[in-house]
Amino acid sequence: MGAENVFIPQQARLWLAPVGTAAPDGVAVPMPSAWYDIGLFTPDSYNWKTDPKFEETRAHQSNYAVRRWQTEDAATIEVNLLEWTLKSFQAVYGGGTIEEVTPSGGGAAYYKFTPPAIGARTETAACIELIDGPKKMRRMVPRCEQAEGVEQSFEKTAASTLPLRLSVLGGDVGAPYYDLLSGTWAAFDPTPA
């Protein structure tokens, strides 16, 4: 054990795709064509968080819980996107539509983005890709959904970012998320040495 097991993600990407899109077959293969890179995000903004909930039974004879069991789980992906595109707006707002509008009185056409109506948010699949030299990891999330409000700052001296917050969704088939790790990452080899 030593420094070879320290992971410093020098490069990160976030890929999105429609729910049900085939996941990549490993970490070394290119992402399948239905996946798209959501674009640049700030270097300090990527966060992954799990939030398990527990219940416990206490007994008069112990100052500690005598039994604890997990009742639910949650996980979220957070990044602050730097690129303003239709796909990034749809990801940040959970869907929405865009239309090109030509003013009735003439003039230049413009685009009108409308966020989704209540109950019309779009689920998405996500892949977080992290790279540290030869070590590569892809965290696959088959289903997630933008489930938070959007708060933005418009400062004169800094780029305005789009806060993407995705909540992992579960189902009755398969894991809500899983990791694919490089075969050269020896510390994860399950076979005894």
Side-chain angles (χ1 to χ4, degrees):
M1 295 293 171
E4 70 275 5
N5 296 322
V6 175
F7 185 64
I8 303 168
Q10 296 296 304
Q11 196 170 37
R13 287 189 182 89
L14 176 60
W15 302 82
L16 300 178
V19 170
T21 300
D25 188 19
V27 295
V29 300
M31 289 298 289
S33 61
W35 291 85
Y36 62 92
D37 185 339
I38 196 62
L40 301 174
F41 50 87
T42 61
D44 60 346
S45 69
Y46 169 66
N47 287 301
W48 170 264
K49 178 183 173 188
T50 61
D51 187 22
K53 302 279 191 243
F54 296 87
E55 292 289 334
E56 57 186 35
T57 299
R58 295 192 140 321
H60 190 74
Q61 293 79 11
S62 176
N63 292 328
Y64 297 89
V66 294
R67 178 144 185 227
R68 179 175 290 124
W69 63 97
Q70 188 173 349
T71 57
E72 58 185 86
D73 209 347
T76 55
I77 301 164
E78 297 181 359
V79 295
N80 294 328
L81 302 175
L82 287 165
E83 294 186 59
W84 288 40
T85 66
L86 172 57
K87 287 191 183 244
S88 66
F89 262 59
Q90 288 176 323
V92 166
Y93 286 95
T97 58
I98 190 89
E99 61 183 294
E100 185 174 4
V101 179
T102 303
S104 57
Y110 61 91
Y111 300 111
K112 177 182 174 185
F113 174 76
T114 305
I118 292 174
R121 288 185 184 261
T122 305
E123 291 182 13
T124 189
C127 170
I128 299 123
E129 187 173 58
L130 301 170
I131 302 167
D132 180 10
K135 296 177 191 161
K136 190 171 184 181
M137 177 184 134
R138 286 180 173 163
R139 177 161 288 160
M140 304 305 304
V141 181
R143 294 177 57 226
C144 55
E145 181 178 58
Q146 193 283 343
E148 290 189 24
V150 176
E151 183 178 337
Q152 287 180 272
S153 295
F154 301 100
E155 299 175 27
K156 184 176 181 176
T157 58
S160 183
T161 60
L162 296 169
L164 179 57
R165 309 293 184 256
L166 297 172
S167 294
V168 174
L169 298 170
D172 60 346
V173 177
Y177 65 90
Y178 57 92
D179 294 337
L180 306 174
L181 301 146
S182 299
T184 58
W185 205 333
F188 284 94
D189 188 347
T191 56

mmCIF file of all heavy atoms in Angstrom, residues 111-162:
data_model
loop_
_atom_site.group_PDB
_atom_site.id
_atom_site.type_symbol
_atom_site.label_atom_id
_atom_site.label_comp_id
_atom_site.label_asym_id
_atom_site.label_seq_id
_atom_site.Cartn_x
_atom_site.Cartn_y
_atom_site.Cartn_z
ATOM 1 N N TYR A 111 -34.365 33.073 -29.678
ATOM 2 C CA TYR A 111 -34.755 31.787 -29.114
ATOM 3 C C TYR A 111 -35.497 31.999 -27.800
ATOM 4 O O TYR A 111 -35.132 32.869 -27.005
ATOM 5 C CB TYR A 111 -33.530 30.911 -28.865
ATOM 6 C CG TYR A 111 -32.750 30.628 -30.124
ATOM 7 C CD1 TYR A 111 -31.488 31.177 -30.303
ATOM 8 C CD2 TYR A 111 -33.282 29.837 -31.125
ATOM 9 C CE1 TYR A 111 -30.761 30.937 -31.454
ATOM 10 C CE2 TYR A 111 -32.569 29.583 -32.284
ATOM 11 C CZ TYR A 111 -31.312 30.137 -32.440
ATOM 12 O OH TYR A 111 -30.619 29.909 -33.592
ATOM 13 N N LYS A 112 -36.523 31.203 -27.591
ATOM 14 C CA LYS A 112 -37.308 31.262 -26.353
ATOM 15 C C LYS A 112 -37.219 29.904 -25.671
ATOM 16 O O LYS A 112 -37.656 28.892 -26.218
ATOM 17 C CB LYS A 112 -38.764 31.598 -26.667
ATOM 18 C CG LYS A 112 -39.662 31.615 -25.445
ATOM 19 C CD LYS A 112 -41.100 31.906 -25.840
ATOM 20 C CE LYS A 112 -42.029 31.788 -24.650
ATOM 21 N NZ LYS A 112 -43.432 31.960 -25.070
ATOM 22 N N PHE A 113 -36.612 29.887 -24.462
ATOM 23 C CA PHE A 113 -36.514 28.666 -23.662
ATOM 24 C C PHE A 113 -37.607 28.696 -22.608
ATOM 25 O O PHE A 113 -37.745 29.668 -21.877
ATOM 26 C CB PHE A 113 -35.148 28.547 -22.979
ATOM 27 C CG PHE A 113 -35.053 27.378 -22.040
ATOM 28 C CD1 PHE A 113 -34.902 26.085 -22.534
ATOM 29 C CD2 PHE A 113 -35.151 27.550 -20.671
ATOM 30 C CE1 PHE A 113 -34.837 25.000 -21.679
ATOM 31 C CE2 PHE A 113 -35.079 26.469 -19.803
ATOM 32 C CZ PHE A 113 -34.931 25.193 -20.311
ATOM 33 N N THR A 114 -38.365 27.609 -22.521
ATOM 34 C CA THR A 114 -39.419 27.487 -21.518
ATOM 35 C C THR A 114 -39.109 26.279 -20.640
ATOM 36 O O THR A 114 -39.023 25.155 -21.142
ATOM 37 C CB THR A 114 -40.804 27.298 -22.183
ATOM 38 O OG1 THR A 114 -41.019 28.384 -23.102
ATOM 39 C CG2 THR A 114 -41.910 27.273 -21.145
ATOM 40 N N PRO A 115 -38.911 26.496 -19.314
ATOM 41 C CA PRO A 115 -38.653 25.363 -18.417
ATOM 42 C C PRO A 115 -39.834 24.394 -18.408
ATOM 43 O O PRO A 115 -40.949 24.763 -18.796
ATOM 44 C CB PRO A 115 -38.474 26.028 -17.042
ATOM 45 C CG PRO A 115 -38.144 27.449 -17.339
ATOM 46 C CD PRO A 115 -38.874 27.774 -18.608
ATOM 47 N N PRO A 116 -39.641 23.155 -17.959
ATOM 48 C CA PRO A 116 -40.733 22.185 -17.968
ATOM 49 C C PRO A 116 -41.834 22.565 -16.977
ATOM 50 O O PRO A 116 -41.573 23.194 -15.949
ATOM 51 C CB PRO A 116 -40.054 20.881 -17.549
ATOM 52 C CG PRO A 116 -38.878 21.317 -16.760
ATOM 53 C CD PRO A 116 -38.424 22.602 -17.368
ATOM 54 N N ALA A 117 -43.043 22.172 -17.316
ATOM 55 C CA ALA A 117 -44.179 22.376 -16.413
ATOM 56 C C ALA A 117 -44.059 21.410 -15.236
ATOM 57 O O ALA A 117 -43.306 20.425 -15.290
ATOM 58 C CB ALA A 117 -45.490 22.135 -17.160
ATOM 59 N N ILE A 118 -44.800 21.672 -14.186
ATOM 60 C CA ILE A 118 -44.811 20.771 -13.031
ATOM 61 C C ILE A 118 -45.248 19.385 -13.502
ATOM 62 O O ILE A 118 -46.237 19.232 -14.229
ATOM 63 C CB ILE A 118 -45.763 21.300 -11.934
ATOM 64 C CG1 ILE A 118 -45.181 22.587 -11.351
ATOM 65 C CG2 ILE A 118 -45.970 20.258 -10.843
ATOM 66 C CD1 ILE A 118 -46.079 23.287 -10.365
ATOM 67 N N GLY A 119 -44.492 18.378 -13.119
ATOM 68 C CA GLY A 119 -44.774 17.001 -13.525
ATOM 69 C C GLY A 119 -44.179 16.609 -14.867
ATOM 70 O O GLY A 119 -44.354 15.481 -15.314
ATOM 71 N N ALA A 120 -43.468 17.522 -15.520
ATOM 72 C CA ALA A 120 -42.931 17.231 -16.853
ATOM 73 C C ALA A 120 -41.410 17.174 -16.879
ATOM 74 O O ALA A 120 -40.802 17.255 -17.944
ATOM 75 C CB ALA A 120 -43.430 18.272 -17.849
ATOM 76 N N ARG A 121 -40.774 17.029 -15.724
ATOM 77 C CA ARG A 121 -39.309 16.917 -15.718
ATOM 78 C C ARG A 121 -38.885 15.627 -16.411
ATOM 79 O O ARG A 121 -39.568 14.616 -16.338
ATOM 80 C CB ARG A 121 -38.770 16.946 -14.290
ATOM 81 C CG ARG A 121 -38.871 18.327 -13.686
ATOM 82 C CD ARG A 121 -38.234 18.382 -12.318
ATOM 83 N NE ARG A 121 -38.442 19.700 -11.759
ATOM 84 C CZ ARG A 121 -37.532 20.665 -11.769
ATOM 85 N NH1 ARG A 121 -36.341 20.436 -12.279
ATOM 86 N NH2 ARG A 121 -37.788 21.834 -11.257
ATOM 87 N N THR A 122 -37.720 15.680 -17.046
ATOM 88 C CA THR A 122 -37.199 14.551 -17.805
ATOM 89 C C THR A 122 -36.118 13.836 -17.010
ATOM 90 O O THR A 122 -35.176 14.470 -16.534
ATOM 91 C CB THR A 122 -36.606 15.052 -19.135
ATOM 92 O OG1 THR A 122 -37.602 15.792 -19.827
ATOM 93 C CG2 THR A 122 -36.133 13.900 -19.985
ATOM 94 N N GLU A 123 -36.257 12.529 -16.869
ATOM 95 C CA GLU A 123 -35.184 11.730 -16.269
ATOM 96 C C GLU A 123 -34.050 11.603 -17.270
ATOM 97 O O GLU A 123 -34.267 11.686 -18.478
ATOM 98 C CB GLU A 123 -35.694 10.330 -15.907
ATOM 99 C CG GLU A 123 -36.684 10.307 -14.775
ATOM 100 C CD GLU A 123 -37.122 8.886 -14.423
ATOM 101 O OE1 GLU A 123 -36.483 7.913 -14.891
ATOM 102 O OE2 GLU A 123 -38.112 8.755 -13.695
ATOM 103 N N THR A 124 -32.857 11.371 -16.760
ATOM 104 C CA THR A 124 -31.689 11.197 -17.611
ATOM 105 C C THR A 124 -30.780 10.122 -17.019
ATOM 106 O O THR A 124 -30.910 9.782 -15.844
ATOM 107 C CB THR A 124 -30.935 12.540 -17.788
ATOM 108 O OG1 THR A 124 -29.926 12.390 -18.775
ATOM 109 C CG2 THR A 124 -30.319 13.008 -16.492
ATOM 110 N N ALA A 125 -29.898 9.592 -17.831
ATOM 111 C CA ALA A 125 -28.829 8.711 -17.351
ATOM 112 C C ALA A 125 -27.561 9.558 -17.285
ATOM 113 O O ALA A 125 -27.412 10.521 -18.039
ATOM 114 C CB ALA A 125 -28.634 7.536 -18.300
ATOM 115 N N ALA A 126 -26.659 9.227 -16.353
ATOM 116 C CA ALA A 126 -25.435 10.014 -16.197
ATOM 117 C C ALA A 126 -24.227 9.099 -16.074
ATOM 118 O O ALA A 126 -24.327 7.974 -15.583
ATOM 119 C CB ALA A 126 -25.534 10.912 -14.955
ATOM 120 N N CYS A 127 -23.086 9.603 -16.513
ATOM 121 C CA CYS A 127 -21.800 8.932 -16.349
ATOM 122 C C CYS A 127 -20.785 9.984 -15.925
ATOM 123 O O CYS A 127 -20.567 10.955 -16.644
ATOM 124 C CB CYS A 127 -21.351 8.274 -17.648
ATOM 125 S SG CYS A 127 -19.640 7.661 -17.587
ATOM 126 N N ILE A 128 -20.233 9.797 -14.745
ATOM 127 C CA ILE A 128 -19.179 10.672 -14.268
ATOM 128 C C ILE A 128 -17.866 9.980 -14.584
ATOM 129 O O ILE A 128 -17.648 8.845 -14.174
ATOM 130 C CB ILE A 128 -19.296 10.906 -12.755
ATOM 131 C CG1 ILE A 128 -20.627 11.584 -12.427
ATOM 132 C CG2 ILE A 128 -18.144 11.741 -12.240
ATOM 133 C CD1 ILE A 128 -21.426 10.813 -11.457
ATOM 134 N N GLU A 129 -17.005 10.646 -15.330
ATOM 135 C CA GLU A 129 -15.727 10.066 -15.732
ATOM 136 C C GLU A 129 -14.604 10.820 -15.033
ATOM 137 O O GLU A 129 -14.536 12.047 -15.115
ATOM 138 C CB GLU A 129 -15.584 10.168 -17.249
ATOM 139 C CG GLU A 129 -14.392 9.473 -17.813
ATOM 140 C CD GLU A 129 -14.425 9.468 -19.331
ATOM 141 O OE1 GLU A 129 -14.477 10.563 -19.938
ATOM 142 O OE2 GLU A 129 -14.395 8.371 -19.897
ATOM 143 N N LEU A 130 -13.755 10.082 -14.308
ATOM 144 C CA LEU A 130 -12.629 10.669 -13.584
ATOM 145 C C LEU A 130 -11.338 9.990 -14.031
ATOM 146 O O LEU A 130 -11.290 8.756 -14.122
ATOM 147 C CB LEU A 130 -12.821 10.493 -12.075
ATOM 148 C CG LEU A 130 -14.091 11.110 -11.492
ATOM 149 C CD1 LEU A 130 -14.283 10.670 -10.053
ATOM 150 C CD2 LEU A 130 -14.059 12.617 -11.599
ATOM 151 N N ILE A 131 -10.300 10.797 -14.275
ATOM 152 C CA ILE A 131 -9.055 10.255 -14.806
ATOM 153 C C ILE A 131 -7.873 10.790 -14.000
ATOM 154 O O ILE A 131 -7.769 12.000 -13.764
ATOM 155 C CB ILE A 131 -8.882 10.625 -16.288
ATOM 156 C CG1 ILE A 131 -10.072 10.107 -17.101
ATOM 157 C CG2 ILE A 131 -7.566 10.101 -16.830
ATOM 158 C CD1 ILE A 131 -10.164 10.659 -18.502
ATOM 159 N N ASP A 132 -6.986 9.873 -13.585
ATOM 160 C CA ASP A 132 -5.729 10.211 -12.912
ATOM 161 C C ASP A 132 -4.643 9.370 -13.568
ATOM 162 O O ASP A 132 -4.362 8.252 -13.143
ATOM 163 C CB ASP A 132 -5.826 9.914 -11.419
ATOM 164 C CG ASP A 132 -4.540 10.247 -10.661
ATOM 165 O OD1 ASP A 132 -3.641 10.873 -11.248
ATOM 166 O OD2 ASP A 132 -4.438 9.871 -9.485
ATOM 167 N N GLY A 133 -4.054 9.915 -14.639
ATOM 168 C CA GLY A 133 -3.038 9.154 -15.378
ATOM 169 C C GLY A 133 -3.641 7.874 -15.930
ATOM 170 O O GLY A 133 -4.658 7.901 -16.607
ATOM 171 N N PRO A 134 -3.058 6.688 -15.601
ATOM 172 C CA PRO A 134 -3.593 5.433 -16.123
ATOM 173 C C PRO A 134 -4.853 4.962 -15.377
ATOM 174 O O PRO A 134 -5.528 4.048 -15.825
ATOM 175 C CB PRO A 134 -2.453 4.440 -15.915
ATOM 176 C CG PRO A 134 -1.699 4.990 -14.746
ATOM 177 C CD PRO A 134 -1.818 6.491 -14.852
ATOM 178 N N LYS A 135 -5.147 5.581 -14.240
ATOM 179 C CA LYS A 135 -6.340 5.206 -13.480
ATOM 180 C C LYS A 135 -7.541 5.965 -14.024
ATOM 181 O O LYS A 135 -7.511 7.180 -14.151
ATOM 182 C CB LYS A 135 -6.171 5.524 -11.996
ATOM 183 C CG LYS A 135 -5.080 4.758 -11.324
ATOM 184 C CD LYS A 135 -4.964 5.202 -9.891
ATOM 185 C CE LYS A 135 -3.705 4.645 -9.275
ATOM 186 N NZ LYS A 135 -3.322 5.375 -8.078
ATOM 187 N N LYS A 136 -8.579 5.206 -14.328
ATOM 188 C CA LYS A 136 -9.784 5.809 -14.879
ATOM 189 C C LYS A 136 -10.991 5.159 -14.219
ATOM 190 O O LYS A 136 -11.015 3.952 -13.996
ATOM 191 C CB LYS A 136 -9.822 5.602 -16.391
ATOM 192 C CG LYS A 136 -10.886 6.384 -17.096
ATOM 193 C CD LYS A 136 -10.680 6.271 -18.606
ATOM 194 C CE LYS A 136 -11.670 7.107 -19.354
ATOM 195 N NZ LYS A 136 -11.488 6.980 -20.809
ATOM 196 N N MET A 137 -11.981 5.985 -13.917
ATOM 197 C CA MET A 137 -13.203 5.498 -13.285
ATOM 198 C C MET A 137 -14.393 6.118 -13.996
ATOM 199 O O MET A 137 -14.364 7.294 -14.367
ATOM 200 C CB MET A 137 -13.214 5.902 -11.812
ATOM 201 C CG MET A 137 -14.469 5.516 -11.085
ATOM 202 S SD MET A 137 -14.418 6.155 -9.394
ATOM 203 C CE MET A 137 -16.045 6.836 -9.299
ATOM 204 N N ARG A 138 -15.415 5.315 -14.188
ATOM 205 C CA ARG A 138 -16.694 5.813 -14.691
ATOM 206 C C ARG A 138 -17.771 5.394 -13.698
ATOM 207 O O ARG A 138 -17.965 4.199 -13.459
ATOM 208 C CB ARG A 138 -17.008 5.246 -16.078
ATOM 209 C CG ARG A 138 -16.180 5.873 -17.177
ATOM 210 C CD ARG A 138 -16.508 5.294 -18.536
ATOM 211 N NE ARG A 138 -15.823 6.038 -19.584
ATOM 212 C CZ ARG A 138 -15.651 5.584 -20.820
ATOM 213 N NH1 ARG A 138 -16.114 4.400 -21.174
ATOM 214 N NH2 ARG A 138 -15.021 6.322 -21.709
ATOM 215 N N ARG A 139 -18.435 6.366 -13.117
ATOM 216 C CA ARG A 139 -19.570 6.084 -12.226
ATOM 217 C C ARG A 139 -20.828 6.188 -13.069
ATOM 218 O O ARG A 139 -21.152 7.242 -13.609
ATOM 219 C CB ARG A 139 -19.613 7.074 -11.063
ATOM 220 C CG ARG A 139 -20.841 6.848 -10.165
ATOM 221 C CD ARG A 139 -20.675 7.480 -8.815
ATOM 222 N NE ARG A 139 -19.687 6.679 -8.079
ATOM 223 C CZ ARG A 139 -19.007 7.130 -7.039
ATOM 224 N NH1 ARG A 139 -19.180 8.352 -6.592
ATOM 225 N NH2 ARG A 139 -18.133 6.342 -6.431
ATOM 226 N N MET A 140 -21.529 5.072 -13.194
ATOM 227 C CA MET A 140 -22.720 4.992 -14.031
ATOM 228 C C MET A 140 -23.977 5.154 -13.175
ATOM 229 O O MET A 140 -24.128 4.491 -12.152
ATOM 230 C CB MET A 140 -22.761 3.646 -14.763
ATOM 231 C CG MET A 140 -21.538 3.338 -15.614
ATOM 232 S SD MET A 140 -21.123 4.586 -16.856
ATOM 233 C CE MET A 140 -22.639 4.686 -17.792
ATOM 234 N N VAL A 141 -24.869 6.033 -13.614
ATOM 235 C CA VAL A 141 -26.141 6.275 -12.950
ATOM 236 C C VAL A 141 -27.237 6.057 -13.997
ATOM 237 O O VAL A 141 -27.448 6.921 -14.857
ATOM 238 C CB VAL A 141 -26.210 7.705 -12.366
ATOM 239 C CG1 VAL A 141 -27.547 7.930 -11.659
ATOM 240 C CG2 VAL A 141 -25.040 7.963 -11.420
ATOM 241 N N PRO A 142 -27.918 4.903 -13.963
ATOM 242 C CA PRO A 142 -28.922 4.615 -14.989
ATOM 243 C C PRO A 142 -30.100 5.589 -15.025
ATOM 244 O O PRO A 142 -30.660 5.851 -16.083
ATOM 245 C CB PRO A 142 -29.402 3.206 -14.649
ATOM 246 C CG PRO A 142 -28.265 2.600 -13.874
ATOM 247 C CD PRO A 142 -27.668 3.734 -13.106
ATOM 248 N N ARG A 143 -30.478 6.132 -13.841
ATOM 249 C CA ARG A 143 -31.616 7.057 -13.786
ATOM 250 C C ARG A 143 -31.335 8.149 -12.753
ATOM 251 O O ARG A 143 -30.986 7.858 -11.616
ATOM 252 C CB ARG A 143 -32.898 6.341 -13.371
ATOM 253 C CG ARG A 143 -33.419 5.332 -14.346
ATOM 254 C CD ARG A 143 -34.670 4.628 -13.802
ATOM 255 N NE ARG A 143 -35.723 5.579 -13.471
ATOM 256 C CZ ARG A 143 -36.431 5.542 -12.326
ATOM 257 N NH1 ARG A 143 -36.196 4.621 -11.412
ATOM 258 N NH2 ARG A 143 -37.373 6.422 -12.104
ATOM 259 N N CYS A 144 -31.516 9.391 -13.174
ATOM 260 C CA CYS A 144 -31.443 10.507 -12.233
ATOM 261 C C CYS A 144 -32.334 11.625 -12.766
ATOM 262 O O CYS A 144 -32.798 11.583 -13.910
ATOM 263 C CB CYS A 144 -30.009 10.973 -12.002
ATOM 264 S SG CYS A 144 -29.075 11.413 -13.461
ATOM 265 N N GLU A 145 -32.541 12.610 -11.901
ATOM 266 C CA GLU A 145 -33.439 13.698 -12.272
ATOM 267 C C GLU A 145 -33.009 14.972 -11.560
ATOM 268 O O GLU A 145 -32.601 14.938 -10.400
ATOM 269 C CB GLU A 145 -34.865 13.326 -11.870
ATOM 270 C CG GLU A 145 -35.917 14.342 -12.218
ATOM 271 C CD GLU A 145 -37.303 13.869 -11.837
ATOM 272 O OE1 GLU A 145 -37.529 13.578 -10.642
ATOM 273 O OE2 GLU A 145 -38.153 13.779 -12.730
ATOM 274 N N GLN A 146 -33.102 16.088 -12.249
ATOM 275 C CA GLN A 146 -32.830 17.371 -11.628
ATOM 276 C C GLN A 146 -33.981 17.633 -10.664
ATOM 277 O O GLN A 146 -35.141 17.603 -11.045
ATOM 278 C CB GLN A 146 -32.738 18.467 -12.691
ATOM 279 C CG GLN A 146 -32.170 19.765 -12.211
ATOM 280 C CD GLN A 146 -33.135 20.610 -11.400
ATOM 281 O OE1 GLN A 146 -34.333 20.414 -11.408
ATOM 282 N NE2 GLN A 146 -32.591 21.559 -10.686
ATOM 283 N N ALA A 147 -33.638 17.848 -9.386
ATOM 284 C CA ALA A 147 -34.699 17.939 -8.377
ATOM 285 C C ALA A 147 -34.491 19.085 -7.395
ATOM 286 O O ALA A 147 -34.950 19.018 -6.276
ATOM 287 C CB ALA A 147 -34.803 16.613 -7.625
ATOM 288 N N GLU A 148 -33.774 20.114 -7.806
ATOM 289 C CA GLU A 148 -33.563 21.267 -6.930
ATOM 290 C C GLU A 148 -33.850 22.543 -7.688
ATOM 291 O O GLU A 148 -33.870 22.563 -8.918
ATOM 292 C CB GLU A 148 -32.115 21.303 -6.422
ATOM 293 C CG GLU A 148 -31.778 20.224 -5.438
ATOM 294 C CD GLU A 148 -30.406 20.430 -4.809
ATOM 295 O OE1 GLU A 148 -29.925 21.582 -4.769
ATOM 296 O OE2 GLU A 148 -29.839 19.429 -4.369
ATOM 297 N N GLY A 149 -34.040 23.604 -6.950
ATOM 298 C CA GLY A 149 -34.195 24.909 -7.573
ATOM 299 C C GLY A 149 -32.883 25.366 -8.184
ATOM 300 O O GLY A 149 -31.815 24.867 -7.850
ATOM 301 N N VAL A 150 -32.962 26.319 -9.091
ATOM 302 C CA VAL A 150 -31.780 26.844 -9.759
ATOM 303 C C VAL A 150 -31.476 28.221 -9.186
ATOM 304 O O VAL A 150 -32.315 29.112 -9.212
ATOM 305 C CB VAL A 150 -32.006 26.944 -11.288
ATOM 306 C CG1 VAL A 150 -30.812 27.584 -11.977
ATOM 307 C CG2 VAL A 150 -32.299 25.567 -11.861
ATOM 308 N N GLU A 151 -30.275 28.368 -8.635
ATOM 309 C CA GLU A 151 -29.838 29.651 -8.094
ATOM 310 C C GLU A 151 -28.599 30.085 -8.846
ATOM 311 O O GLU A 151 -27.616 29.350 -8.912
ATOM 312 C CB GLU A 151 -29.524 29.516 -6.601
ATOM 313 C CG GLU A 151 -29.122 30.807 -5.951
ATOM 314 C CD GLU A 151 -28.866 30.666 -4.467
ATOM 315 O OE1 GLU A 151 -29.381 29.726 -3.840
ATOM 316 O OE2 GLU A 151 -28.121 31.522 -3.939
ATOM 317 N N GLN A 152 -28.663 31.279 -9.446
ATOM 318 C CA GLN A 152 -27.547 31.786 -10.238
ATOM 319 C C GLN A 152 -27.121 33.161 -9.755
ATOM 320 O O GLN A 152 -27.942 33.932 -9.247
ATOM 321 C CB GLN A 152 -27.947 31.917 -11.708
ATOM 322 C CG GLN A 152 -28.081 30.601 -12.426
ATOM 323 C CD GLN A 152 -28.471 30.843 -13.865
ATOM 324 O OE1 GLN A 152 -29.633 30.938 -14.170
ATOM 325 N NE2 GLN A 152 -27.470 30.938 -14.723
ATOM 326 N N SER A 153 -25.846 33.468 -9.947
ATOM 327 C CA SER A 153 -25.311 34.802 -9.695
ATOM 328 C C SER A 153 -24.839 35.364 -11.021
ATOM 329 O O SER A 153 -24.296 34.639 -11.856
ATOM 330 C CB SER A 153 -24.126 34.741 -8.724
ATOM 331 O OG SER A 153 -24.547 34.301 -7.467
ATOM 332 N N PHE A 154 -25.054 36.653 -11.200
ATOM 333 C CA PHE A 154 -24.625 37.316 -12.422
ATOM 334 C C PHE A 154 -23.688 38.452 -12.037
ATOM 335 O O PHE A 154 -24.066 39.613 -11.972
ATOM 336 C CB PHE A 154 -25.841 37.824 -13.210
ATOM 337 C CG PHE A 154 -26.788 36.733 -13.596
ATOM 338 C CD1 PHE A 154 -27.956 36.517 -12.869
ATOM 339 C CD2 PHE A 154 -26.512 35.897 -14.661
ATOM 340 C CE1 PHE A 154 -28.830 35.504 -13.212
ATOM 341 C CE2 PHE A 154 -27.386 34.881 -15.013
ATOM 342 C CZ PHE A 154 -28.548 34.681 -14.288
ATOM 343 N N GLU A 155 -22.433 38.071 -11.755
ATOM 344 C CA GLU A 155 -21.434 39.040 -11.318
ATOM 345 C C GLU A 155 -20.677 39.601 -12.515
ATOM 346 O O GLU A 155 -20.467 38.902 -13.508
ATOM 347 C CB GLU A 155 -20.448 38.372 -10.359
ATOM 348 C CG GLU A 155 -21.096 37.816 -9.099
ATOM 349 C CD GLU A 155 -20.119 37.048 -8.235
ATOM 350 O OE1 GLU A 155 -18.906 37.344 -8.301
ATOM 351 O OE2 GLU A 155 -20.568 36.155 -7.512
ATOM 352 N N LYS A 156 -20.251 40.814 -12.392
ATOM 353 C CA LYS A 156 -19.512 41.469 -13.467
ATOM 354 C C LYS A 156 -18.115 40.891 -13.636
ATOM 355 O O LYS A 156 -17.557 40.904 -14.728
ATOM 356 C CB LYS A 156 -19.434 42.966 -13.176
ATOM 357 C CG LYS A 156 -18.779 43.784 -14.255
ATOM 358 C CD LYS A 156 -18.830 45.259 -13.928
ATOM 359 C CE LYS A 156 -18.196 46.065 -15.042
ATOM 360 N NZ LYS A 156 -18.307 47.500 -14.804
ATOM 361 N N THR A 157 -17.541 40.354 -12.568
ATOM 362 C CA THR A 157 -16.134 39.939 -12.604
ATOM 363 C C THR A 157 -15.936 38.422 -12.619
ATOM 364 O O THR A 157 -14.823 37.949 -12.416
ATOM 365 C CB THR A 157 -15.404 40.511 -11.385
ATOM 366 O OG1 THR A 157 -16.062 40.056 -10.201
ATOM 367 C CG2 THR A 157 -15.396 42.033 -11.414
ATOM 368 N N ALA A 158 -17.000 37.650 -12.822
ATOM 369 C CA ALA A 158 -16.862 36.188 -12.837
ATOM 370 C C ALA A 158 -17.850 35.587 -13.830
ATOM 371 O O ALA A 158 -18.905 36.162 -14.106
ATOM 372 C CB ALA A 158 -17.113 35.620 -11.440
ATOM 373 N N ALA A 159 -17.493 34.421 -14.359
ATOM 374 C CA ALA A 159 -18.394 33.716 -15.277
ATOM 375 C C ALA A 159 -19.639 33.268 -14.518
ATOM 376 O O ALA A 159 -19.557 32.813 -13.382
ATOM 377 C CB ALA A 159 -17.685 32.508 -15.870
ATOM 378 N N SER A 160 -20.779 33.412 -15.151
ATOM 379 C CA SER A 160 -22.023 32.936 -14.548
ATOM 380 C C SER A 160 -22.181 31.456 -14.871
ATOM 381 O O SER A 160 -22.077 31.048 -16.027
ATOM 382 C CB SER A 160 -23.217 33.719 -15.088
ATOM 383 O OG SER A 160 -24.389 33.298 -14.443
ATOM 384 N N THR A 161 -22.386 30.658 -13.849
ATOM 385 C CA THR A 161 -22.477 29.212 -14.031
ATOM 386 C C THR A 161 -23.919 28.743 -13.931
ATOM 387 O O THR A 161 -24.782 29.441 -13.385
ATOM 388 C CB THR A 161 -21.634 28.475 -12.978
ATOM 389 O OG1 THR A 161 -22.110 28.816 -11.682
ATOM 390 C CG2 THR A 161 -20.161 28.845 -13.107
ATOM 391 N N LEU A 162 -24.160 27.556 -14.446
ATOM 392 C CA LEU A 162 -25.466 26.898 -14.356
ATOM 393 C C LEU A 162 -25.324 25.750 -13.364
ATOM 394 O O LEU A 162 -24.571 24.799 -13.605
ATOM 395 C CB LEU A 162 -25.885 26.353 -15.725
ATOM 396 C CG LEU A 162 -26.121 27.391 -16.817
ATOM 397 C CD1 LEU A 162 -26.250 26.713 -18.176
ATOM 398 C CD2 LEU A 162 -27.350 28.218 -16.506
#
